[in-house]
């Protein structure tokens, strides 16, 4: 993360922790792909100063928080447009999500006109602080 902040003042790195899919897509600092990503983003930043638009929103539903269904940060939505390609990242503050839900939400958001969509969870255990308990985000939670 420090390397990201060195080149990009307002940056974040999100671990795509969702859907109980394990193993093959981990990207840790020190991994060669991590440095390729940094190089790509630095090059992108130089070439695309005026062709990018971005927006951010956060939805906090007190009823869902009180029920203990999702974490205190609610749902964060990051949208953007780069060279006429629209993308949307949705980050739900929770620990994983039930199988199939990610794909359902991706299709719903894509139908709104986005070219690239990703649905993520934060791996937040604040709701269930018990080791080994998943309490994944369910369709009825959001």
């Amino acid at each position: 993360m420090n390397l990201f902040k060195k080149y990009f003042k307002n940056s974040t790195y999100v671990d795509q922790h969702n859907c109980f899919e394990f193993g093959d897509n981990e990207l840790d600092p020190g991994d060669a792909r991590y440095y390729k990503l940094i190089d790509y983003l630095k090059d992108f930043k130089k070439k695309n100063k005026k062709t990018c638009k971005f927006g951010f929103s956060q939805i906090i539903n007190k009823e869902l928080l009180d029920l203990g269904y999702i974490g205190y940060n609610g749902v964060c939505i990051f949208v953007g447009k780069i060279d006429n390609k629209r993308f949307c990242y949705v980050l739900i503050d929770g620990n994983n999500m039930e199988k199939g839900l990610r794909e359902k939400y991706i299709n719903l958001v894509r139908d709104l006109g986005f070219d690239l969509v990703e649905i993520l969870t934060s791996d937040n255990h604040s709701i269930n602080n018990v080791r080994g308990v998943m309490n994944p985000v369910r369709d009825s939670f959001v």
Side-chain angles (χ1 to χ4, degrees):
M1 191 63 222
N2 289 334
L3 190 54
F4 274 100
K5 294 235 181 249
K6 178 179 176 182
Y7 295 105
F8 309 98
K9 181 180 171 187
N10 299 309
S11 64
T12 190
Y13 177 81
V14 177
D15 171 12
Q16 183 177 336
H17 182 83
N18 56 20
C19 294
F20 301 103
E21 300 295 333
F22 297 104
D24 62 347
N25 288 318
E26 293 180 11
L27 180 64
D28 297 314
D31 186 312
R33 296 172 300 156
Y34 178 82
Y35 293 103
K36 282 183 183 178
L37 175 62
I38 294 292
D39 290 341
Y40 170 81
L41 291 172
K42 287 190 311 190
D43 186 53
F44 177 85
K45 185 177 175 182
K46 287 179 199 172
K47 293 178 180 175
N48 294 287
K49 291 197 180 269
K50 295 184 181 177
T51 61
C52 304
K53 294 181 180 181
F54 301 103
F56 176 82
S57 183
Q58 184 176 28
I59 302 165
I60 299 175
N61 182 320
K62 184 157 173 28
E63 183 179 322
L64 291 177
L65 296 176
D66 291 344
L67 291 171
Y69 289 157
I70 61 175
Y72 299 105
N73 288 311
V75 178
C76 297
I77 303 162
F78 177 63
V79 297
K81 184 176 178 182
I82 302 172
D83 292 333
N84 294 319
K85 296 286 185 185
R86 297 176 62 201
F87 65 88
C88 178
Y89 293 114
V90 178
L91 176 62
I92 302 168
D93 192 17
N95 181 34
N96 235 308
M97 65 178 63
E98 64 185 5
K99 275 192 173 285
L101 185 57
R102 177 177 163 265
E103 292 76 14
K104 176 182 177 180
Y105 287 169
I106 285 173
N107 290 330
L108 287 170
V109 175
R110 190 173 282 134
D111 287 347
L112 297 173
F114 290 96
D115 301 294
L116 173 66
V117 177
E118 190 53 83
I119 310 294
L120 311 114
T121 61
S122 64
D123 192 22
N124 186 344
H125 290 259
S126 68
I127 300 304
N128 59 8
N129 271 337
V130 178
R131 186 165 180 78
V133 175
M134 291 290 185
N135 191 27
V137 172
R138 291 177 174 77
D139 199 14
S140 60
F141 292 1
V142 180

